[in-house]
Amino acid sequence: YYQLAMDRTTVLKYGSLVAFCCQNSLAPIVFRLAMTETTEAKRASTPAVLFVVEVGKCILSLILLWNENRFNAREAMRVVYTDAIVNRSRSLKLSVPAIVYAVQNALLQLSSGHLPGAVWHVTYQGKILATALMSMIILGKPLKRCQWFALLLMGCGISLVELSKSTEKSLDDMANKSEQNFKLGLVMVVGACFCSAFAGVFTEEMFKNVGEKAERTISLWLQNLVLSVWSMLITLATFLAQQSSWGEVSLLGGFTANTWALVALNAVGGMLVAMAIKYADNILRGFASAFATINGALLSIVALGFEMGASFVLGMLIVLASALLYGGVVKLPGEWWNVELRFAKPDIEADVELTSVDKLGKDTV
């Protein structure tokens, strides 16, 4: 029995990592194709797409919660009732990160229509930089000297990527060519990075307070379920508010094969992130994420005709190296680099390996 349990854990560990890597590699391609195949006027509504994505996440969360309770539907529903409905205060608090995540996902989706896929993918790694800064300022988390160095490197690497002015050969064939705005896309991605950071810091502070009050922690899949329900309400309300005529409302209007691919990739992505975190260690996740970024850039060359210049390659490598250094996958020799520098709130323990945004599995890219 022990051997079977070990084998199952190993399969889940490496299976989730492979699936996570594949999903992250395909994300810049699928997002770019879905957002450039038609003009903005003919494209599916962004709130509608996000609503369908959250419906998919909700269904997957229910299935995984059911599995967690040994496929006992009654027990799964008891967990939902006890931890999400009876304990309303915690569910209500999750509405705040749900709103921020909805804005983040909208910015990511819209920005992919303005930026080359590979540039979009690498730039979004700046969420690590944003999360580190917010954790330090708001939560008072200490950062080691090597982590400060990693953040400096990441800033330099992202700057190199943006200054490379890399383009795609397929740009002339994109229906929204005249609508694309590189600077606007860049601002949207930066906004998404800070949304990701704020939501992560907020949820981390919320669950820290739960731990201090000795409240029972709830299932990871139930947390995702509650977040998805809130996101569904927010995105559906936004979609309905945008309609000028109720008689012509069509939730799935403008959906294409590429749009459905984006929906599927996004819905599955959050669950894969959570599974990779649950079953794999930080080092394996770091390498999987780095490989996915490189693989995504190479796929962009094939699928989108991305022209990869020397400055882009250098910037991408610097960003990946800094991410591995910040996460502790790569270490600098000597004690000096590992000294913690604390900004404020010295009572809060550091957790540099995992942010709450990752714990909840809401980041899909």
Side-chain angles (χ1 to χ4, degrees):
Y1 175 80
Y2 178 76
Q3 184 64 41
L4 287 174
M6 288 293 290
D7 290 343
R8 180 177 179 274
T9 301
T10 302
V11 170
L12 288 171
K13 175 181 177 179
Y14 291 103
S16 61
L17 281 173
V18 171
F20 165 76
C21 185
C22 291
Q23 187 271 343
N24 266 256
S25 299
L26 291 172
I29 313 300
V30 174
F31 271 70
R32 184 66 168 160
L33 290 175
M35 296 300 291
T36 60
E37 62 179 344
T38 60
T39 59
E40 184 179 357
K42 298 179 180 179
R43 189 187 304 148
S45 165
T46 298
V49 173
L50 294 177
F51 172 76
V52 178
V53 168
E54 295 303 330
V55 171
K57 288 181 180 180
C58 187
I59 294 171
L60 289 173
S61 296
L62 278 171
I63 293 173
L64 290 167
L65 182 62
W66 181 39
N67 172 67
E68 189 175 63
N69 288 276
R70 301 179 182 275
F71 298 103
N72 186 327
R74 178 176 295 181
E75 179 62 20
M77 290 302 101
R78 187 197 64 80
V79 170
V80 172
Y81 177 76
T82 303
D83 293 340
I85 299 176
V86 174
N87 189 356
R88 289 188 296 272
S89 61
R90 187 154 43 185
S91 296
L92 287 171
K93 288 178 182 178
L94 283 173
S95 65
V96 177
I99 293 171
V100 181
Y101 284 134
V103 174
Q104 169 198 324
N105 290 328
L107 289 173
L108 282 176
Q109 186 175 318
L110 292 170
S111 62
S112 64
H114 295 281
L115 297 176
V119 174
W120 174 82
H121 202 193
V122 174
T123 305
Y124 188 53
Q125 302 309 308
K127 63 186 178 183
I128 299 174
L129 173 59
T131 302
L133 293 177
M134 283 202 172
S135 295
M136 179 192 67
I137 295 171
I138 297 175
L139 298 180
K141 281 193 171 184
L143 295 180
K144 297 177 182 178
R145 286 195 175 104
C146 63
Q147 291 177 308
W148 279 104
F149 180 58
L151 295 178
L152 176 63
L153 280 180
M154 179 169 288
C156 294
I158 291 175
S159 298
L160 272 176
V161 168
E162 307 311 327
L163 294 173
S164 68
K165 296 182 179 179
S166 301
T167 58
E168 296 163 333
K169 293 179 181 178
S170 61
L171 179 62
D172 292 333
D173 299 324
M174 294 178 181
N176 73 330
K177 178 184 176 182
S178 61
E179 299 174 347
Q180 293 189 32
N181 186 322
F182 187 91
K183 292 181 180 179
L184 177 61
L186 180 59
V187 170
M188 287 180 174
V189 174
V190 172
C193 289
F194 279 94
C195 283
S196 172
F198 175 79
V201 168
F202 181 90
T203 50
E204 184 168 350
E205 178 70 5
M206 186 178 74
F207 289 119
K208 172 184 174 292
N209 291 334
V210 167
E212 289 176 346
K213 295 176 183 178
E215 294 182 23
R216 188 166 66 89
T217 57
I218 63 175
S219 164
L220 174 65
W221 308 123
L222 181 58
Q223 292 170 25
N224 277 281
L225 176 62
V226 174
L227 280 169
S228 294
V229 170
W230 277 117
S231 297
M232 286 166 58
L233 295 174
I234 294 163
T235 51
L236 181 60
T238 305
F239 169 77
L240 294 176
Q242 290 180 343
Q243 305 309 306
S244 57
S245 173
W246 286 92
E248 300 176 1
V249 173
S250 175
L251 183 66
L252 301 181
F255 272 62
T256 64
N258 285 329
T259 308
W260 283 110
L262 185 152
V263 167
L265 199 71
N266 233 352
V268 173
M271 301 302 108
L272 290 177
V273 170
M275 288 183 69
I277 289 168
K278 186 174 183 178
Y279 294 108
D281 59 36
N282 188 50
I283 294 177
L284 288 175
R285 288 197 308 273
F287 279 117
S289 182
F291 181 77
T293 303
I294 295 174
N295 202 30
L298 296 176
L299 288 174
S300 293
I301 296 175
V302 178
L304 302 169
F306 181 66
E307 297 177 326
M308 190 183 296
S311 57
F312 175 86
V313 174
L314 179 60
M316 179 179 68
L317 292 177
I318 290 175
V319 169
L320 295 180
S322 64
L324 295 174
L325 177 61
Y326 181 85
V329 178
V330 175
K331 299 183 183 297
L332 295 177
E335 293 184 5
W336 187 85
W337 286 107
N338 295 307
V339 174
E340 291 182 344
L341 303 178
R342 198 180 293 272
F343 184 79
K345 293 186 179 181
D347 59 310
I348 297 177
E349 292 296 324
D351 180 7
V352 298
E353 290 188 357
L354 198 60
T355 65
S356 289
V357 66
D358 290 326
K359 289 176 184 176
L360 293 175
K362 293 300 287 184
D363 258 340
T364 58
V365 182

